[in-house]
Amino acid sequence: MSKNNLSHVAFILDGNNRWAKKHNLQTINGYKAGFDNIKKITYHSLSKNISDLTLFTLSSENYQRPSLSILYELIYSNFSDLLDEMINKRNIKIKIFGSRNNLPHKIIDIFQQAEKMSEKNNALNMNIAFNYGFKEEIKEVLKKFKKNMNGINIENENAIRDLFFLKSNSDPDILIRTGGYKRLSNFIMFNLTYTELFFSNTLWPEFSIQEFDNILENYANIQNMILEVVQLILIIF
C-alpha cells in the first residue's frame, strides 16, 4: 500500500481520438500515444507503491466504432514488448475483463497468454476493462447467481463481490476520468460506491505524471481532513 493509504486507482481513458485530431494526426497516432501513456502512468504507479490499477480501455457500447481495427492492430504489434516490459521486467499481473464473445480469436489468445504468463506476478495488479459495460456485467452476475443459487450466501459480502469481475479486490480509492466529460459511462458501478471522483479536462495522451501526482495529493488532503474531523469529534464527545 502506498503512502496516504491509497492502494487502488481507476482510470477512464478518454481523448485519444480528439488528441489525434487536435494535432492533425491519424487516429492510430492517438491510440499509440494513449498506449504509451498507459505504460508511463503504470510505471509511475509502481513507484508510488499503488497495488491495483484498473483501466477502462474499450466500452462495449463503442465496440462497433470504425477505429476498432486500428486498436486491434496496435495490440498485435505491441504485444511482445508488453510481455517483456510489463510482465517479465516489471512483475505486473494482468487481468482483462469484459465480454470476449465477439472478439477476434487472435485477441482472445493474446489476452489469455498475458493473464497466464503474469498470474504469479505481484508488483502491481493491472485490471483492464476491454469490451466492457456494467449493464452487461450485471447480466453475467445474475447468470452466475442463478446457476448456483443455493450455494451463494447473499449475506456474505465476499460471496457477492466474487460474482463481479473485480471479485474481492479492493474497490478503487479514486477514479480519474480524462478528456473533459463528467460521467461514469457504465463503468464498474458496483465498485465505485465510496470512490473519490476526479475529472480532468486533459486528453488522455497528454495526462502527465505531474497531474497524476496533484490528484494523489488532493486525495491525501481529503483523507487528512476527514481524519482531523473524526479526531475532533472524538475529543468533543
Side-chain angles (χ1 to χ4, degrees):
M1 182 174 291
S2 64
K3 291 186 294 184
N4 307 315
N5 297 321
L6 185 148
S7 63
H8 191 167
V9 178
F11 278 93
I12 298 177
L13 314 179
D14 195 8
N16 292 329
N17 288 338
R18 283 178 284 156
W19 181 87
K21 291 178 181 178
K22 174 183 173 182
H23 295 279
N24 297 314
L25 297 171
Q26 294 181 334
T27 301
I28 191 171
N29 296 109
Y31 280 116
K32 284 181 178 178
F35 187 81
D36 289 340
N37 209 34
I38 287 176
K39 292 190 288 186
K40 181 176 70 176
I41 295 299
T42 299
Y43 300 153
H44 188 63
S45 297
L46 277 170
S47 73
K48 291 288 185 178
N49 294 321
I50 291 169
S51 61
D52 292 88
L53 196 63
T54 299
L55 310 176
F56 197 7
T57 59
L58 177 67
S59 167
S60 56
E61 296 166 353
N62 293 332
Y63 185 76
Q64 300 301 327
R65 280 187 177 184
S67 58
L68 190 59
S69 60
I70 296 174
L71 182 55
Y72 286 155
E73 188 58 40
L74 190 63
I75 294 172
Y76 299 151
S77 59
N78 284 273
F79 181 58
S80 295
D81 289 340
L82 173 72
L83 290 180
D84 184 52
E85 182 67 24
M86 286 194 174
I87 296 176
N88 296 330
K89 294 181 180 177
R90 304 278 184 162
N91 197 31
I92 293 172
K93 181 176 182 178
I94 294 177
K95 174 181 176 171
I96 302 161
F97 62 93
S99 175
R100 301 188 185 184
N101 293 335
N102 49 0
L103 297 182
H105 291 301
K106 188 175 179 180
I107 290 291
I108 294 174
D109 289 342
I110 286 174
F111 288 174
Q112 291 175 340
Q113 186 178 354
E115 290 177 327
K116 182 174 179 57
M117 291 183 64
S118 66
E119 62 185 354
K120 295 183 179 180
N121 290 358
N122 57 15
L124 180 145
N125 298 314
M126 175 182 276
N127 309 300
I128 301 174
F130 190 92
N131 194 24
Y132 168 86
F134 181 67
K135 292 179 181 179
E136 293 300 315
E137 182 178 11
I138 288 295
K139 291 179 184 178
E140 293 301 316
V141 167
L142 293 175
K143 288 178 184 177
K144 292 176 187 176
F145 181 73
K146 183 179 179 181
K147 187 176 180 180
N148 190 25
M149 191 178 300
N150 295 325
I152 298 173
N153 180 7
I154 61 173
E155 301 301 326
N156 185 307
E157 181 180 350
N158 283 336
I160 298 299
R161 292 176 67 86
D162 280 343
L163 296 173
F164 290 82
F165 290 152
L166 286 181
K167 298 189 178 297
S168 294
N169 287 10
S170 65
D171 289 337
D173 300 296
I174 65 175
L175 168 71
I176 302 169
R177 177 171 186 148
T178 62
Y181 296 124
K182 296 182 179 180
R183 56 177 181 251
L184 298 180
S185 296
N186 200 20
F187 183 49
I188 57 171
M189 302 291 288
F190 176 80
N191 303 95
L192 298 179
T193 48
Y194 293 101
T195 300
E196 295 287 344
L197 307 178
F198 294 88
F199 298 98
S200 169
N201 290 323
T202 306
L203 302 177
W204 170 247
E206 296 175 340
F207 185 80
S208 66
I209 287 174
Q210 182 61 55
E211 185 171 0
F212 189 22
D213 281 344
N214 289 342
I215 290 173
L216 298 182
E217 184 176 350
N218 286 340
Y219 172 80
N221 291 337
I222 291 171
Q223 297 306 301
N224 290 335
M225 183 175 64
I226 292 172
L227 181 60
E228 289 174 1
V229 170
V230 170
Q231 290 174 337
L232 180 60
I233 292 174
L234 291 175
I235 291 172
I236 293 174
F237 293 97

